[in-house]
Amino acid sequence: MTKFEIYKWDKWNMVHAEVKGKKITVRVISDQWGEDCHTFLSRPQLMNWVEQYYAADRFQGTEEERETIISRFREV
């Protein structure tokens, strides 16, 4: 299993990705919603979710932060 830290602002707000063979699991942990887990069977499926989840009109950070997060997902 390979683990990737996408971002971590503090111990309550972070995103991690884990790769086990073909399966990619993304854990989104926030202080407002708790832990949300998403499982993908391919990288294209993951990147489609990333583009929707981190859409420019919904993201509450700078464009630079958004691009950094998306580029880290591309490394998975």
Side-chain angles (χ1 to χ4, degrees):
M1 174 175 23
T2 306
K3 294 184 179 186
F4 296 88
E5 183 176 286
I6 306 302
Y7 69 79
K8 182 175 182 175
W9 282 301
D10 55 25
K11 68 179 186 176
W12 299 109
N13 296 288
M14 63 185 86
V15 173
H16 294 278
E18 298 174 355
V19 179
K20 275 189 189 177
K22 288 178 26 177
K23 187 170 84 171
I24 303 166
T25 304
V26 175
R27 287 183 177 25
V28 180
I29 304 168
S30 77
D31 57 354
Q32 295 176 348
W33 302 105
E35 182 175 335
D36 196 11
C37 185
H38 304 277
T39 303
F40 306 97
L41 298 178
S42 68
R43 283 179 171 75
Q45 185 183 25
L46 167 69
M47 291 311 296
N48 184 39
W49 174 82
V50 168
E51 292 294 334
Q52 292 176 6
Y53 192 82
Y54 294 100
D57 59 336
R58 291 181 22 184
F59 188 71
Q60 296 183 359
T62 66
E63 183 62 25
E64 184 178 293
E65 290 173 331
R66 181 180 169 274
E67 287 299 323
T68 301
I69 291 169
I70 291 173
S71 70
R72 287 187 182 160
F73 271 110
R74 286 188 184 118
E75 295 172 3
V76 173

